[in-house]
Amino acid sequence: MAPVQKYSFRKATLRDVDLLMEWQSRPHMRAWWGTDAPYGAEELNDPRVARWIVSTENRPFAFMQDYAVHGWENHHFAALPKGTRGIDQYIGDPDMIGHGHGTAFIAARMQVLFDAGAPVIATDPHPDNARAIAVYTKLGFAAYGPPRDTEWGLILPMRISRERGRQAKGFS
């Protein structure tokens, strides 16, 4: 587990596109995340999605996004309560993998989302992404339903309620 560290989240901008493309081109990323140009101005300004560059000790090492699941018609999380946020993320810097940073920065963002009133946080890893599923499970997420195909690919739907988060990790 990573030592107790502070993680900062700053809005991703067009200046970050080269960094995101570099991260997404790395072998550990190619299996789970596309290698196309990640975002243009329209995507970065989409009010449904907050996109973040995650840093620790002033070192950017990860990308995270959280989004309003009800912002898309027929989204696979549409049956979840209003105000639910979806999350996706990756560690782009391979030197930062395996040290507990993923669990720690996801927990930090979950706290912010729960504090802002999200009743549920949902995520949708690929069913074969055992590392991601293990991190989400450690954080208190549980699968709800079998893997399914979506317009974003094959997913395992997972969620955690604010109440479950309080019990599992002490989120308020």
Side-chain angles (χ1 to χ4, degrees):
M1 185 71 168
V4 175
Q5 295 192 32
K6 186 170 188 163
Y7 295 92
S8 62
F9 297 79
R10 74 165 170 76
K11 284 252 187 215
T13 69
L14 286 174
R15 290 183 305 244
D16 297 309
V17 170
D18 288 343
L19 175 63
L20 295 170
M21 286 178 61
E22 176 189 334
W23 285 345
Q24 288 174 213
S25 71
R26 294 194 171 153
H28 74 282
M29 290 296 307
R30 283 189 229 138
W32 312 117
W33 206 276
T35 57
D36 296 337
Y39 303 107
E42 185 176 338
E43 290 91 356
L44 289 170
N45 292 320
D46 185 338
R48 301 172 294 182
V49 185
R51 293 183 172 94
W52 308 99
I53 300 296
V54 185
S55 298
T56 188
E57 298 176 2
N58 294 315
R59 177 183 180 181
F61 73 96
F63 170 80
M64 185 167 197
Q65 64 184 17
D66 59 89
Y67 58 92
V69 303
H70 297 100
W72 289 264
E73 201 171 307
N74 300 318
H75 190 280
H76 52 273
F77 292 143
L80 295 175
K82 291 287 183 203
T84 294
R85 298 295 287 181
I87 61 170
D88 302 295
Q89 64 284 308
Y90 61 76
I91 294 177
D93 182 340
D95 294 339
M96 300 294 276
I97 295 172
H99 302 286
H101 293 293
T103 303
F105 83 78
I106 295 167
R109 189 70 192 148
M110 289 171 65
Q111 181 69 58
V112 169
L113 296 172
F114 283 142
D115 287 352
V120 172
I121 299 171
T123 192
D124 51 9
H126 189 284
D128 295 336
N129 191 341
R131 175 172 271 173
I133 293 167
V135 167
Y136 294 130
T137 301
K138 185 176 187 178
L139 287 165
F141 283 83
Y144 72 100
R148 62 182 151 189
D149 279 311
T150 72
E151 69 179 278
W152 294 279
L154 184 62
I155 63 131
L156 175 66
M158 300 183 79
R159 67 180 173 199
I160 184 171
S161 68
R162 187 175 341 165
E163 185 58 38
R164 171 79 176 113
R166 280 188 197 123
Q167 295 166 359
K169 294 290 173 196
F171 299 122
S172 14

